[in-house]
Amino acid sequence: MNTALRITAFTAGLAAAFGLALGVGNATGSGPSPRAATATHAGHDTGGPGRTGDAAADHLPGGLQISERGYTLSVENPFVTAGSPTDLRFRILGTDGKPVTAYQRQHEKDLHLIVAPRDLSTFQHLHPTLAADGTWSAPTAVPAAGEYRVFADFTPAGAAEGLTLGADLHAAGDLRPAPLPETGRTVTVDGYTVTLGGDLTPGRSGRLTLTVSKDGRPVTDLQPYLGAYGHLVALRAGDLAYLHVHPDTTVPGPEIGFTTTAPSTGGYRLFLDFKHQDTVHTAAFTLTTAAPALPTEPTSSHQH
């Protein structure tokens, strides 16, 4: 989001901001002016705590901690009932222990909220409202019982960079655990076909592409959504670490490209939000990291 996967660890991670749900591809031409294509969904640069860029490989991904750099995510009621509407209320407590009331706007919002279950079967990208006392609220309903992760992707006013904080949300009901959803490289959502290209490689920056088509034809008139042509959140299976995604696309489709770095081997869920014909759609993929390349052994010229 600094200028759209902190995904996220979302289950300990939703973008090093999956950021927020992450802005992929800045819009050009007519319509709202998108932000520059050099930031993540939550507006965070590579490097620094919680970042997943090459310069920050030794740091934790975002969303794994409820508190970082003196800021804390405080959820008012972390216990909800599956399938029942609820008003999710929370505060960001500052370094002085008081609620933060001033934020830097990133991708047209002061704060982005991601909600995802531990099994990464669903995904919600919410935009809560802020009260004068620093309390955020967002009407929502989690679809099934289980353990969820809430990710707050934001930049406090005056801060040099943003944060993705994560907290647990417990949904009562009939729990039916499920394995990580399996997908191929192509998924269909709301009549759109989205194809994933590229790979995640642990410890190395790589490029991913998502190509959108409908009725067999490329979609070349995607609309800006939150200041970008697409937002991507990437969450690591197992702990929901939130990955930051960096956009490199400046045209309205059909291909949306971005770069990110996987912090480890394993499975990841990628959630792409894109807007077309005034409706936002979400395409989800499961991707397993490619093995890192092994160093090449030098050939000895000595004979024995």
Side-chain angles (χ1 to χ4, degrees), residues 4-262:
L5 293 165
R6 261 169 230 313
I7 258 228
T8 170
F10 159 96
T11 267
L14 261 226
F18 258 174
L20 194 345
L22 326 212
V24 178
N26 294 348
T28 58
S30 61
S33 175
R35 308 184 72 85
T38 57
T40 63
H41 169 79
H44 307 299
D45 298 328
T46 56
R51 307 298 173 258
T52 57
D54 293 339
D58 295 334
H59 295 287
L60 286 176
L64 292 175
Q65 302 181 95
I66 198 170
S67 183
E68 184 180 351
R69 302 208 305 269
Y71 293 91
T72 299
L73 170 58
S74 177
V75 178
E76 183 175 288
N77 182 11
F79 299 93
V80 300
T81 300
S84 298
T86 185
D87 190 25
L88 186 59
R89 296 166 60 85
F90 63 95
R91 294 179 176 184
I92 304 298
L93 304 181
T95 55
D96 58 0
K98 298 179 180 179
V100 177
T101 58
Y103 296 81
Q104 297 182 41
R105 180 153 290 205
Q106 304 292 343
H107 281 259
E108 303 180 355
K109 298 293 180 180
D110 286 346
L111 183 146
H112 295 258
L113 187 71
I114 304 297
V115 180
R118 289 281 171 176
D119 64 8
L120 295 175
S121 57
T122 63
F123 169 86
Q124 296 183 58
H125 180 172
L126 308 174
H127 298 111
T129 57
L130 178 63
D133 67 352
T135 299
W136 290 93
S137 60
T140 187
V142 296
E147 297 297 310
Y148 287 74
R149 191 74 173 170
V150 176
F151 299 91
D153 197 341
F154 63 95
T155 302
E161 58 182 13
L163 290 164
T164 298
L165 300 180
D168 289 335
L169 186 68
H170 316 280
D174 183 15
L175 177 59
R176 298 177 182 272
L180 191 68
E182 294 184 5
T183 68
R185 287 285 179 152
T186 299
V187 301
T188 300
V189 55
D190 305 329
Y192 292 85
T193 299
V194 184
T195 302
L196 172 66
D199 285 299
L200 292 173
T201 302
R204 180 185 304 168
S205 180
R207 188 172 190 268
L208 299 175
T209 61
L210 289 163
T211 304
V212 183
S213 63
K214 187 176 184 181
D215 300 326
R217 298 180 178 179
V219 176
T220 58
D221 58 344
L222 293 172
Q223 295 168 286
Y225 174 57
L226 301 175
Y229 285 125
H231 290 265
L232 185 72
V233 170
L235 300 175
R236 181 170 61 187
D239 66 358
L240 277 66
Y242 192 100
L243 277 62
H244 284 277
V245 179
H246 304 268
D248 59 19
T249 298
T250 58
V251 295
E255 181 180 284
I256 309 170
F258 53 92
T259 57
T260 189
T261 302

